[in-house]
């Protein structure tokens, strides 16, 4: 390094969570790392590895009543942050060390305009007047790429897009030109093109401000693009530390090798379209428009949002069609329309039967043939029901002829098929990891023997190694039961791994579609090329 003196040193640092006054659970175990001035360091690992716990400890943002630090020190420019009073720490937070959190919507106060929140660090630390703080923050908003910053200054957080809210958080963090910026999963909730923009923004501002950045993430592709050095954490321990180039080329620790090998690779064989008969699912001229209304008393329609605009598709038995696009492109709305879960116009055929003309009672009997796996398994599973009740609920409705022992036999069989054990039947969703909960969600739909499953971002909330396990499971279930998948995602690496064909959506329209290899190797539309560049580099 050009400067041998570190800006921040974490030495033999441990963290424990207090379960009771006499009982503590260790979560971080004697870790050591340094950050130098102007350096970009990435701290990576899967959920539960301790990376965010460590980052929050730097600024002492844990509840002191529930956290203890059994060993170590966090040295920042000669001061141990663990020993500082709350008053001293308050003077450091935002001024010397700033932090960008993962979800800007929960970090911004919804009842105050963003301008009120933006000027707070300048009023607190720099003692500027309100008018001068306003001018300075409007300039910084413009620097971060917010359109019409003088208007956005008085806007409320809910009126901004996810990418704009994250830019506001970056502007707030940079208000006092800190020496160290901690970015905790700053792009996780954003589309791939917005992720790339935020990453480029951080890199440009880091150079301009001459600050160090500690990036907390599980996205190895982001680390490769942004960081100079990388520290890998597993189960609260730091298992490897190296330059990014060397670590990606020659990983030493088995866990690091495991992480790098967990990146999605193509796991399905090409589909034989010449052997297919009639399509399993067919949508003709599907449209779904949402009205935009104005007025206080007499709301009148002034425009409409074309979520899906007169598009047609076919899906064959045992085939996976990937639907990709950014938030608002219409991909989820299309999936819901095809399964009659969202009102739309057009014709929908499933296994030769027309669905869009069926009454609710007639449609209910068809429901078991097409099922949905949602993005967040925790919110889609009832917390009041056991695993046996969750998986068996559909059997009671669609297979009423089965008695209790027959239902349990089927539940145990499908539970084993998705890689879980019989002794888990009496547990509740909160007692499982994210990957296990998604397996339960998959078991719940597969037990009904569906011909089609709509997979709506089924792996986006999972760590890379768990993601790979779930994709392998879905592939094996498709091969065994010849299930068709409509796979919705903004992650092109996952789509490439699983799909036989791909449809690219933008503002409710199909702008490009084709076989997976052809579309990835020879994209035709500029928007597709932008998505591929942002996602794959």
């Amino acid at each position: 390094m050009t400067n041998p003196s570190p800006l921040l040193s974490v030495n033999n640092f441990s963290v424990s969570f207090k379960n009771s006054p006499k009982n503590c659970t260790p979560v971080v175990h004697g870790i050591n790392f340094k950050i130098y001035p102007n350096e970009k360091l990435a701290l990576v690992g899967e959920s539960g590895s301790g990376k965010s716990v460590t980052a929050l400890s730097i600024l002492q943002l844990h509840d002191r009543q529930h956290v203890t630090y059994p060993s170590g020190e966090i040295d920042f420019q000669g001061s141990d942050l663990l020993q500082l009073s709350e008053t001293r720490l308050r003077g450091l937070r935002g001024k010397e060390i700033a932090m960008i959190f993962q979800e800007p919507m929960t970090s911004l106060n919804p009842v105050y305009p963003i301008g009120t929140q933006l000027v707070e660090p300048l009023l607190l630390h720099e003692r500027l007047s309100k008018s001068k703080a306003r001018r300075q923050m409007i300039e910084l908003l413009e620097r971060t790429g917010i359109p019409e910053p003088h208007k956005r200054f008085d806007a409320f957080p809910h009126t901004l897009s996810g990418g704009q809210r994250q830019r506001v958080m970056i502007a707030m963090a940079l208000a006092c030109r800190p020496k160290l910026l901690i970015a905790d999963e700053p792009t996780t909730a954003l589309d791939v093109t917005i992720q790339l923009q935020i990453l480029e923004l951080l890199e440009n501002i880091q150079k301009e401000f001459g600050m160090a950045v500690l990036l907390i993430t599980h996205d190895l592709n982001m680390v490769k693009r942004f960081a100079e050095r990388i520290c890998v954490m597993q189960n609260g321990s730091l298992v490897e530390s190296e330059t990014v180039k060397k670590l990606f080329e020659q990983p030493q620790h088995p866990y690091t090798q495991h992480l790098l090998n967990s990146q999605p690779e193509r796991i399905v064989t090409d589909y034989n379209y010449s052997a297919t008969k009639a399509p399993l699912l067919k949508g003709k001229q599907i449209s779904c428009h949402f009205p935009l209304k104005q007025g206080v008393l007499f709301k009148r329609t002034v425009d409409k949002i074309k979520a899906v605009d007169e598009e047609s598709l076919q899906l064959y038995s045992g085939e996976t069609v990937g639907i990709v696009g950014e938030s608002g492109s219409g991909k989820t709305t299309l999936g819901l329309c095809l399964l009659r879960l969202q009102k739309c116009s057009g014709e929908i055929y499933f296994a030769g039967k027309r669905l869009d003309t069926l009454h609710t009672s007639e449609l209910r009997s068809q429901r078991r043939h097409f099922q949905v796996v949602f993005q967040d398994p925790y919110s889609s599973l009832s917390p009041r029901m056991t695993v046996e009740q969750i998986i068996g609920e559909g059997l009671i409705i669609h297979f009423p002829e089965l008695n209790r022992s027959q239902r349990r036999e089927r539940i145990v069989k499908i539970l084993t098929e998705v890689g879980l054990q019989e002794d888990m039947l009496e547990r509740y969703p909160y007692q499982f990891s994210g990957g296990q909960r998604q397996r339960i969600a998959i078991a719940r739909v597969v037990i009904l023997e569906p011909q089609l499953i709509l997979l709506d971002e089924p792996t986006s909330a999972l760590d890379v190694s768990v993601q790979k396990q779930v994709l392998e499971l879905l592939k094996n279930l498709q091969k065994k039961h010849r299930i068709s998948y409509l796979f919705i995602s903004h992650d092109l690496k996952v789509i490439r791994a699983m799909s036989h064909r791909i449809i690219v959506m933008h503002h409710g329209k199909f702008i490009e579609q084709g076989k997976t290899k052809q579309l990835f190797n020879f994209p035709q539309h500029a928007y597709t090329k932008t998505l591929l560049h942002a996602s794959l580099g």
Side-chain angles (χ1 to χ4, degrees):
M1 301 299 298
T2 56
N3 187 349
S5 300
L7 179 67
L8 181 91
S9 296
V10 177
N11 305 314
N12 192 32
F13 178 64
S14 299
V15 183
S16 293
F17 288 158
K18 296 178 183 177
N19 303 320
S20 67
K22 295 183 179 180
N23 185 19
C24 293
T25 301
V27 290
V28 175
H29 317 287
I31 65 170
N32 297 275
F33 66 89
K34 292 177 171 59
I35 305 173
Y36 294 86
N38 305 318
E39 184 186 23
K40 294 175 290 186
L41 175 71
L43 195 60
V44 305
E46 297 178 286
S47 298
S49 63
K51 58 188 188 296
S52 289
V53 170
T54 301
L56 291 170
S57 298
I58 293 172
L59 282 174
Q60 299 290 284
L61 295 176
H62 295 295
D63 186 342
R64 297 260 183 153
Q65 292 183 331
H66 298 104
V67 170
T68 183
Y69 304 106
S71 69
E73 63 174 9
I74 302 177
D75 184 285
F76 179 74
Q77 295 185 315
S79 297
D80 184 0
L81 298 180
L82 300 179
Q83 305 302 321
L84 295 185
S85 65
E86 184 60 31
T87 304
R88 290 275 307 279
L89 283 168
R90 201 176 293 126
L92 279 174
R93 293 179 188 134
K95 182 173 175 61
E96 301 286 336
I97 306 174
M99 190 162 185
I100 303 169
F101 295 96
Q102 180 171 352
E103 179 45 68
M105 194 58 187
T106 57
S107 303
L108 294 168
N109 193 321
V111 301
Y112 292 108
I114 62 166
T116 304
Q117 302 175 63
L118 281 167
V119 299
E120 190 175 358
L122 292 175
L123 299 178
L124 179 66
H125 296 296
E126 304 293 333
R127 309 293 184 185
L128 297 183
S129 65
K130 287 187 177 180
S131 59
K132 190 170 183 179
R134 178 187 174 96
R135 285 197 304 271
Q136 194 164 313
M137 289 313 300
I138 287 176
E139 288 175 9
L140 199 48
L141 280 180
E142 187 173 23
R143 178 70 188 82
T144 59
I146 293 281
E148 299 182 298
H150 58 287
K151 293 182 180 179
R152 300 293 183 184
F153 190 86
D154 297 313
F156 287 87
H158 73 273
T159 65
L160 305 182
S161 69
Q164 288 172 336
R165 285 194 292 265
Q166 196 61 287
R167 290 170 193 270
V168 168
M169 289 295 298
I170 291 171
M172 190 185 301
L174 298 175
C176 298
R177 291 182 172 256
K179 294 175 182 175
L180 173 62
L181 177 66
I182 302 171
D184 188 6
E185 301 277 10
T187 64
T188 298
L190 305 177
D191 290 316
V192 287
T193 52
I194 307 298
Q195 282 183 8
L196 184 60
Q197 292 171 19
I198 295 296
L199 210 59
E200 290 173 346
L201 171 63
L202 281 174
E203 188 158 25
N204 292 336
I205 288 180
Q206 183 263 339
K207 290 176 182 176
E208 182 184 325
F209 283 33
M211 64 184 176
V213 177
L214 175 61
L215 176 68
I216 314 292
T217 186
H218 65 265
D219 188 336
L220 295 174
N221 193 43
M222 181 192 299
V223 170
K224 201 171 185 179
R225 281 177 163 168
F226 182 79
E228 297 159 343
R229 281 196 306 122
I230 181 171
C231 294
V232 182
M233 291 191 70
Q234 180 192 24
N235 298 329
S237 298
L238 204 154
V239 298
E240 189 164 359
S241 178
E242 192 50 84
T243 64
V244 167
K245 186 176 187 298
K246 188 172 180 181
L247 186 135
F248 274 83
E249 291 176 354
Q250 299 173 325
Q252 300 299 309
H253 195 276
Y255 178 69
T256 309
Q257 295 169 358
H258 168 70
L259 277 183
L260 294 175
N261 291 332
S262 295
Q263 297 300 301
E265 296 177 354
R266 188 159 174 80
I267 58 175
V268 296
T269 56
D270 292 340
Y271 192 86
N272 184 9
Y273 290 96
S274 61
T276 57
K277 299 178 182 177
L280 175 69
L281 176 71
K282 183 164 66 173
K284 295 176 65 177
Q285 299 295 104
I286 304 298
S287 288
C288 180
H289 297 171
F290 297 108
L292 283 175
K293 296 180 179 289
Q294 281 185 356
V296 179
L297 293 176
F298 303 102
K299 291 187 179 292
R300 54 193 178 84
T301 300
V302 295
D303 202 353
K304 55 187 175 183
I305 299 172
K306 297 180 179 181
V308 182
D309 192 23
E310 295 188 0
E311 292 295 352
S312 303
L313 65 78
Q314 296 181 340
L315 176 68
Y316 294 92
S317 179
E319 183 192 24
T320 299
V321 170
I323 305 176
V324 303
E326 297 174 287
S327 298
S329 62
K331 55 189 188 296
T332 296
T333 303
L334 173 65
L336 296 177
C337 287
L338 291 169
L339 270 57
R340 285 286 308 273
L341 295 171
Q342 171 65 53
K343 287 185 179 180
C344 65
S345 62
E347 299 177 14
I348 305 168
Y349 298 87
F350 181 82
K353 182 175 289 188
R354 187 165 176 179
L355 292 186
D356 58 285
T357 57
L358 293 182
H359 294 296
T360 304
S361 57
E362 297 173 300
L363 187 63
R364 193 174 293 122
S365 64
Q366 297 292 316
R367 284 275 179 218
R368 81 170 183 88
H369 299 297
F370 39 90
Q371 293 288 308
V372 186
V373 174
F374 295 98
Q375 179 173 352
D376 182 4
Y378 194 70
S379 60
S380 64
L381 301 176
S382 172
R384 297 182 179 88
M385 297 171 70
T386 64
V387 170
E388 182 175 8
Q389 291 170 331
I390 289 169
I391 298 176
E393 186 179 25
L395 291 179
I396 296 172
I397 297 169
H398 294 290
F399 296 89
E401 70 277 7
L402 298 178
N403 59 38
R404 184 183 178 88
S405 62
Q406 289 171 327
R407 280 200 305 272
R408 187 179 176 89
E409 184 180 337
R410 288 200 185 191
I411 293 168
V412 171
K413 183 181 178 183
I414 200 67
L415 205 63
T416 305
E417 199 168 329
V418 298
L420 300 175
Q421 292 78 46
E422 184 177 352
D423 61 8
M424 296 178 174
L425 285 175
E426 302 307 316
R427 297 189 202 172
Y428 291 87
Y430 76 90
Q431 296 174 294
F432 295 90
S433 68
Q436 288 173 323
R437 285 196 289 264
Q438 198 60 292
R439 288 172 185 269
I440 294 167
I442 292 169
R444 176 176 62 177
V445 303
V446 174
I447 199 169
L448 300 178
E449 301 171 0
Q451 295 170 270
L452 166 66
I453 299 178
L454 172 64
L455 300 163
D456 191 2
E457 302 275 11
T459 62
S460 64
L462 306 178
D463 289 316
V464 284
S465 61
V466 180
Q467 181 186 77
K468 187 174 183 179
Q469 295 168 16
V470 171
L471 293 178
E472 286 284 352
L473 169 63
L474 290 170
K475 180 201 74 172
N476 294 334
L477 289 171
Q478 182 178 58
K479 187 176 180 181
K480 182 176 182 179
H481 301 288
R482 200 160 174 76
I483 304 171
S484 300
Y485 293 142
L486 269 179
F487 202 118
I488 295 170
S489 181
H490 66 264
D491 189 333
L492 271 74
K493 295 186 290 292
V494 170
I495 287 292
R496 180 173 59 183
M498 284 293 296
S499 302
H500 299 105
R501 281 189 297 126
I502 295 175
I503 295 170
V504 182
M505 288 193 72
H506 187 52
H507 297 323
K509 300 293 291 185
F510 294 178
I511 60 168
E512 188 167 355
Q513 54 184 307
K515 294 180 182 178
T516 300
K517 289 182 180 178
Q518 180 183 355
L519 190 138
F520 271 84
N521 293 333
F522 307 104
Q524 300 300 309
H525 198 280
Y527 178 72
T528 308
K529 294 176 183 178
T530 301
L531 281 182
L532 290 172
H533 172 67
S535 184
L536 307 176

